[in-house]
Amino acid sequence: MANALLSIQILPHTPGGESVIPYVDRAIDIIKASGVPYRVAPLETTMEGELGRLLAIVQEMNEAMTAMGCPSVISQIKVYYNPEGGASMERLLEKYPDGK
């Protein structure tokens, strides 16, 4: 059972003021490739899993941004950690499964 939810908004400082969209797409590709459950929302993406694994994904995302030429990256994260009872996006969204 997962013990954490982690929401991230990644804000890369792009070379020459380029659009951030290709960079954000790359970050989401890293989440997809990780195999953890995730949900993309307009301002952030939420992942579900073991806290250490989720933090490692954040590190990989940041390293990918610099590998793409970004001189710096801001990652705003929120963590819900519940080692005893577990963490589940589904459980927290029971009342609002379609976001409404």
Side-chain angles (χ1 to χ4, degrees):
M1 177 188 325
N3 67 16
L5 299 177
L6 184 149
S7 293
I8 182 167
Q9 179 185 39
I10 196 159
L11 303 164
H13 178 193
T14 60
E18 296 173 20
S19 169
V20 299
I21 299 300
Y23 298 87
V24 171
D25 288 343
R26 174 69 181 116
I28 293 170
D29 286 343
I30 290 168
I31 295 170
K32 286 180 188 177
S34 76
V36 300
Y38 68 95
R39 184 172 181 164
V40 176
L43 297 176
E44 64 188 12
T45 299
T46 301
M47 301 180 280
E48 178 180 308
E50 297 301 309
L51 182 58
R53 176 69 179 120
L54 300 179
L55 292 171
I57 295 166
V58 170
Q59 180 176 351
E60 186 178 347
M61 292 165 66
N62 279 269
E63 290 171 350
M65 298 301 101
T66 58
M68 292 175 72
C70 296
S72 64
V73 184
I74 295 172
S75 292
Q76 296 182 359
I77 64 171
K78 292 184 270 188
V79 175
Y80 170 68
Y81 181 60
N82 187 352
E84 296 295 320
S88 163
M89 286 185 283
E90 185 177 315
R91 188 170 65 228
L92 291 180
L93 293 171
E94 282 176 332
K95 214 170 155 181
Y96 307 102
D98 62 356
K100 298 177 183 176

